[in-house]
């Protein structure tokens, strides 16, 4: 949620900041703004799109320093006063902020007593005024930042400059991502590396409670006490963080069609020379634990449901929890639990909350993430990266499949079961067949259901887990209410909602549950439902909508999830909606 960009020493900062904000808009936003130094602080901001913002920002700006921001409203309505950048009451400090300041009301009351005024309602403006207050008191921005860091509670990534100098940019963070891009004679800042890859592939990533002073030639990082910190320069692969659409009309379609190479990359990274390539200490800790706890949100939670079943297959007891629930009512089954956190961004606020609790209990933990250098990646005991490349579309597709494929590999590695590699490669063949042969059928189904108000997905076992994710995707980007139901639960309530013409989408890939699912189909048909069946060749019946090649059914969420993703995509497209940026949603959820 929200995006930060900034630069110092760049020849065309408006171009970088404008394009950078566009590249970060996948994070979700409702307003945008920029600020720069030109004989003082100049700010342009408004509610609406980055394109709208760039229409009001002068084209030929000559400045050494510029910052920009896209805001997803939390504190205060989406209006111009609450839009970033914020300038302090005495016009000394200009900043942009991602995150949530939990004690902002207390700090605001302190500033009100000091006769500070406020233009809007945001917690971010409180930080601007707080830096202003201590800057005027100490005459030193660095000392002011150290004092402010000691006072703030919550999460923040902040980039600022002061009205007295155009030669220094200041940054500090806790719990929200912030990356510095290193160029010769210029430096850049952004919420992630993607806006900067056109200019550099070398980066520095801040850790929590660190701050930095940046000029065009140098980056100096300090800890909260003012001690200089040596930081490693990280080189990032342009291919994995590129926003290039490569001829596709939408990122979601591009990312669906990258699923085969995503699964191949999981295999290549974690199985080499006929051996699994996971950390031996990690495997030992997993084997020695008596219970595995999976914690995630949304799509990642759904991947955890599948992952838990994989570990149970190898006789490991497992439980699964939604992060926002577990964080307030934590439970630790077993005598020696091991906890697996799942977050595509590595910055999910609910999971960061969970990790604090886990560390208080001194429990071994692992993060599964797509983002190296993220908060969770740096702070967990173990980290495994998905290597699936940046996912721009808000609705996750390839990252979900990568999570499931990775769990299949990790669970199999506990018993050195190499069959999983063959099964994953077989699944890739199924995915390629779906992409090559079934899109016209999926499009026709999308046309039939696009105007429906309600849709059901049915499945059992692994097909039920896939149904949950399929239902979520349809909700996210088509705004159709959909519900995933285990086939056996129909008669325990949901069947009351079945009526004439209601679309029911059924997955049948498990030989053991297939006869029962066929019975469920007859139950909903007899009540007027319009049924669409996706089945494997071995389990298919005449009249099934899509029949795919056989595969190892425990990999349903790998092999045939693209059918669900395509369906959601084509329904959204048929309704004329914004496929990649659905309303009210953000890619990286950094507030609880």
């Amino acid at each position: 949620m929200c995006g930060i960009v900034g630069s110092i020493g760049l020849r065309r900062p408006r171009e970088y900041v404008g394009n950078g904000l566009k590249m970060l808009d996948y994070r979700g936003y409702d307003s945008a703004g920029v600020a720069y130094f030109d004989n003082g602080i100049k700010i342009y901001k408004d509610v609406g799109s980055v394109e709208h913002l760039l229409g009001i920002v002068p084209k030929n700006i000559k400045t050494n320093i510029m910052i920009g921001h896209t805001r997803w409203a939390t504190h205060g309505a989406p209006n111009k006063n609450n839009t970033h950048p914020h300038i302090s009451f005495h016009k000394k400090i200009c900043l942009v902020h991602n995150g949530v300041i939990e004690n902002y009301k207390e700090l605001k009351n302190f500033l009100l007593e000091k006769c500070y005024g406020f233009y809007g309602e945001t917690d971010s403006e409180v930080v601007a005024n707080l830096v202003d207050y201590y800057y005027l008191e100490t005459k030193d921005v660095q000392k002011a930042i150290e004092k402010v860091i000691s006072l703030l509670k919550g999460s923040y990534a902040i980039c600022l400059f002061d009205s007295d100098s155009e030669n220094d940019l200041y940054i500090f963070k806790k719990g929200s991502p912030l990356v510095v891009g290193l160029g010769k004679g210029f430096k850049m800042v952004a919420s992630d590396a993607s806006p900067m890859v056109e200019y550099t592939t070398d980066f520095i990533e801040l850790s929590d409670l660190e701050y930095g002073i940046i000029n065009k030639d140098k980056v100096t990082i300090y800890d909260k006490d003012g001690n200089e910190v040596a930081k490693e320069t990280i080189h990032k692969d342009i291919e994995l963080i590129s926003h290039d659409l490569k001829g596709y009309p939408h990122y979601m379609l591009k990312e669906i069609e990258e699923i085969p190479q995503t699964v191949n990359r999981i295999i290549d990274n974690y199985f080499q020379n006929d051996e699994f390539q996971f950390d031996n200490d990690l495997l030992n800790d997993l084997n020695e634990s008596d219970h595995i706890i999976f914690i995630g949100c949304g799509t990642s939670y759904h991947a955890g449901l599948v992952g838990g079943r994989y570990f149970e297959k190898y006789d490991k007891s497992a439980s699964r929890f939604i992060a926002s629930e577990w964080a307030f009512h934590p439970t630790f089954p077993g005598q020696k639990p091991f906890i697996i956190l799942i977050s595509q961004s590595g910055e999910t606020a609910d999971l960061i909350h969970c990790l604090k609790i886990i560390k208080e209990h001194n429990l071994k933990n692992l993060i599964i993430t797509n983002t190296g250098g993220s908060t969770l990646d740096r702070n967990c005991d173990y980290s495994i990266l998905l290597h699936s490349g940046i996912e721009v579309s808000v609705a996750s597709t390839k990252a979900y499949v990568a999570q499931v494929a990775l769990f299949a590999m990790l669970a199999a590695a506990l018993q050195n079961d190499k069959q999983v590699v063959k099964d994953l490669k077989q699944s890739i063949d199924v995915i390629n067949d779906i992409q090559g042969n079934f899109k016209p059928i999926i499009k026709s189904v999308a046309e039939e259901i696009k105007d429906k108000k309600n849709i059901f997905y049915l499945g059992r076992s692994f097909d039920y887990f896939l149904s949950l994710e399929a239902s979520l995707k349809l909700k996210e980007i088509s705004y159709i209410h959909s519900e995933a139901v285990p086939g056996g639960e129909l008669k325990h309530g949901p069947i009351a909602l079945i009526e004439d013409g209601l679309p029911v989408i059924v997955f049948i890939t498990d030989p053991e549950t297939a006869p029962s699912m066929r019975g469920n189909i007859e139950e909903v048909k007899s009540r007027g439902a319009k049924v669409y069946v996706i089945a494997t060749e071995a389990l298919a019946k005449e009249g099934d909508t899509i029949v795919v090649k056989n595969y190892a059914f425990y990999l349903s969420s790998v092999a045939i999830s693209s059918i669900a993703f395509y369906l959601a995509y084509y329904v959204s497209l048929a309704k004329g909606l914004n496929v990649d940026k659905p309303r009210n949603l953000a890619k990286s959820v950094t507030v609880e």
Side-chain angles (χ1 to χ4, degrees):
M1 292 181 172
C2 303
I4 287 174
V5 290
S7 70
I8 187 163
L10 203 59
R11 285 180 57 198
R12 295 188 297 276
R14 183 187 184 277
E15 179 181 320
Y16 160 66
V17 170
N19 290 336
L21 292 176
K22 290 177 183 178
M23 295 185 80
L24 291 176
D25 66 8
Y26 72 93
R27 299 171 69 90
Y29 74 103
D30 44 49
S31 58
V34 300
Y36 57 94
F37 190 99
D38 183 10
N39 294 317
I41 297 170
K42 300 290 192 297
I43 297 178
Y44 292 86
K45 60 183 182 177
D46 206 352
V47 175
S49 68
V50 173
E51 287 80 3
H52 167 68
L53 169 69
L54 295 177
I56 63 176
V57 176
K59 287 189 168 64
N60 298 313
I61 297 171
K62 292 184 179 179
T63 182
N64 190 49
I65 196 165
M66 180 178 279
I67 59 176
H69 189 269
T70 51
R71 176 179 186 252
W72 193 87
T74 54
H75 294 73
N79 59 42
K80 192 170 182 178
N81 283 345
N82 291 329
T83 298
H84 298 226
H86 290 291
I87 191 167
S88 64
F89 183 63
H90 293 114
K91 306 292 191 291
K92 289 291 185 183
I93 301 296
C94 182
L95 65 70
V96 289
H97 162 231
N98 291 349
V100 174
I101 306 302
E102 295 171 0
N103 61 333
Y104 84 100
K105 289 184 179 178
E106 171 190 333
L107 297 171
K108 187 172 185 176
N109 288 335
F110 165 78
L111 291 163
L112 289 170
E113 290 174 1
K114 302 298 181 181
C115 298
Y116 274 75
F118 292 83
Y119 302 101
E121 307 158 275
T122 69
D123 53 342
S124 308
E125 190 181 356
V126 173
V127 182
N129 278 331
L130 202 61
V131 177
D132 179 294
Y133 175 78
Y134 288 108
Y135 175 43
L136 292 176
E137 183 179 84
T138 63
K139 310 302 181 188
D140 186 321
V141 178
Q142 184 173 351
K143 286 185 171 59
I145 288 172
E146 288 176 19
K147 180 63 178 177
V148 169
I149 289 174
S150 73
L151 295 173
L152 296 181
K153 296 178 182 177
S155 62
Y156 51 84
I158 290 171
C159 181
L160 66 82
F161 64 95
D162 69 271
S163 62
D164 297 326
S165 173
E166 63 174 331
N167 297 317
D168 292 303
L169 199 59
Y170 300 86
I171 55 175
F172 53 107
K173 76 167 291 282
K174 178 190 173 189
S176 291
L178 203 57
V179 182
V180 181
L182 306 176
K184 189 174 182 179
F186 67 91
K187 303 293 179 285
M188 296 166 291
V189 176
S191 296
D192 64 47
S194 57
M196 301 182 278
V197 294
E198 183 181 340
Y199 302 84
T200 184
T201 55
D202 293 324
F203 304 92
I204 292 174
E205 294 176 338
L206 257 65
S207 299
D208 283 351
L209 299 177
E210 290 180 343
Y211 69 91
I213 303 175
I214 306 170
N215 62 47
K216 64 185 182 65
D217 298 312
K218 185 179 181 182
V219 178
T220 310
I221 306 298
Y222 301 90
D223 66 20
K224 61 184 176 61
D225 299 316
N227 302 306
E228 189 170 339
V229 179
K231 300 295 287 187
E232 177 187 0
T233 298
I234 300 167
H235 183 81
K236 290 185 177 283
D237 186 338
I238 294 176
E239 278 298 310
L240 292 182
I241 54 179
S242 172
H243 276 233
D244 185 2
L245 271 167
K246 297 182 178 178
Y248 284 95
H250 301 98
Y251 287 107
M252 184 176 181
L253 181 59
K254 172 178 175 282
E255 288 154 12
I256 293 171
E257 303 210 334
E258 287 173 342
I259 289 174
Q261 68 192 64
T262 298
V263 179
N264 263 321
R265 198 177 289 125
I266 291 289
I267 297 170
D268 291 344
N269 275 282
Y270 299 109
F271 191 81
Q272 298 171 13
N273 302 317
D274 203 38
E275 296 292 337
F276 289 104
Q277 300 296 310
F278 296 108
D279 186 307
N280 285 330
D281 290 338
L282 167 62
L283 296 180
N284 288 336
D285 282 340
L286 284 168
N287 271 315
E288 290 174 5
S289 68
D290 63 350
H291 193 90
I292 312 297
I293 300 172
F294 291 81
I295 304 178
C297 307
T299 286
S300 293
Y301 169 69
H302 293 160
L305 293 174
V306 184
R309 185 64 62 84
Y310 291 161
F311 277 75
E312 289 168 339
K313 175 184 174 184
Y314 296 101
D315 298 322
K316 299 298 295 186
S317 177
S319 54
R320 304 86 161 163
F321 296 95
I322 295 170
S324 57
E325 292 293 310
W326 189 90
F328 293 97
H329 299 285
T331 181
F332 305 97
Q335 298 300 309
K336 194 176 182 181
F338 185 103
I339 301 181
I340 299 178
L341 302 169
I342 317 157
S343 168
Q344 296 162 39
S345 69
E347 302 291 347
T348 309
D350 293 308
L351 285 163
I352 292 171
H353 185 170
C354 292
L355 183 59
K356 291 177 182 176
I357 297 168
I358 293 163
K359 286 187 171 294
E360 288 169 1
H361 286 78
N362 295 314
L363 296 175
K364 292 290 185 179
N365 55 83
L366 161 70
I367 178 65
I368 304 294
T369 183
N370 200 31
T371 314
S374 59
T375 299
L376 289 165
D377 173 64
R378 290 194 310 271
N379 291 289
C380 277
D381 293 338
Y382 300 102
S383 177
I384 301 179
L385 298 180
L386 299 175
H387 299 293
S388 61
I390 192 167
E391 195 175 57
V392 177
S393 180
V394 167
S396 178
T397 53
K398 64 176 180 175
Y400 168 75
V401 176
Q403 288 170 341
V404 174
L406 184 54
F407 281 135
M409 293 275 286
L410 182 60
L414 295 181
Q415 300 294 326
N416 199 32
D417 182 358
K418 297 174 184 178
Q419 179 62 37
V420 69
V421 177
K422 295 179 181 178
D423 292 345
L424 283 169
K425 289 180 177 179
Q426 182 186 43
S427 294
I428 293 170
D429 290 339
V430 175
I431 300 165
N432 285 327
D433 189 46
I434 291 168
Q435 290 186 1
N437 297 310
F438 289 104
K439 284 190 284 187
I441 298 174
I442 299 169
K443 280 183 184 178
S444 68
V445 174
E447 284 293 331
E448 291 180 22
I449 69 174
K450 66 182 175 67
D451 296 319
K452 299 296 183 180
K453 301 298 182 185
N454 300 287
I455 291 177
F456 269 37
Y457 286 86
L458 298 184
R460 292 183 183 232
S461 185
F462 290 106
D463 289 337
Y464 169 59
F465 298 149
L466 174 57
S467 294
L468 287 167
E469 182 59 15
S471 176
L472 178 61
K473 286 293 158 287
L474 193 70
K475 291 174 191 171
E476 285 179 318
I477 65 170
S478 76
Y479 316 146
I480 295 173
H481 172 259
S482 65
E483 185 173 351
V485 180
E489 282 295 294
L490 266 176
K491 294 186 289 294
H492 297 278
I495 201 167
L497 299 174
I498 303 298
E499 58 188 11
D500 282 345
L502 177 75
V504 177
I505 299 165
V506 185
F507 296 105
I508 302 180
T509 72
D510 180 352
E512 187 173 352
T513 63
S516 297
M517 284 307 307
R518 291 294 175 182
N520 296 143
I521 289 171
E522 294 307 312
E523 290 169 349
V524 296
K525 273 187 175 180
S526 68
R527 289 160 176 84
K530 171 66 174 175
V531 177
Y532 303 89
V533 178
I534 296 98
T536 53
E537 290 174 347
L539 303 175
K541 301 284 187 182
E542 186 177 351
D544 287 351
T545 311
I546 294 176
V547 178
V548 300
K549 293 179 178 178
N550 295 321
Y551 62 89
F553 73 89
Y554 72 94
L555 289 173
S556 281
S557 286
V558 174
I560 63 170
S561 60
S562 56
I563 294 173
F565 300 154
Y566 278 128
L567 182 60
Y569 172 80
Y570 287 124
V571 170
S572 180
L573 203 63
K575 295 180 72 171
L577 301 174
N578 191 330
V579 172
D580 289 327
K581 291 178 277 188
R583 67 190 183 199
N584 304 332
L585 297 177
K587 186 68 177 174
S588 178
V589 183
T590 55
V591 296
E592 291 187 66

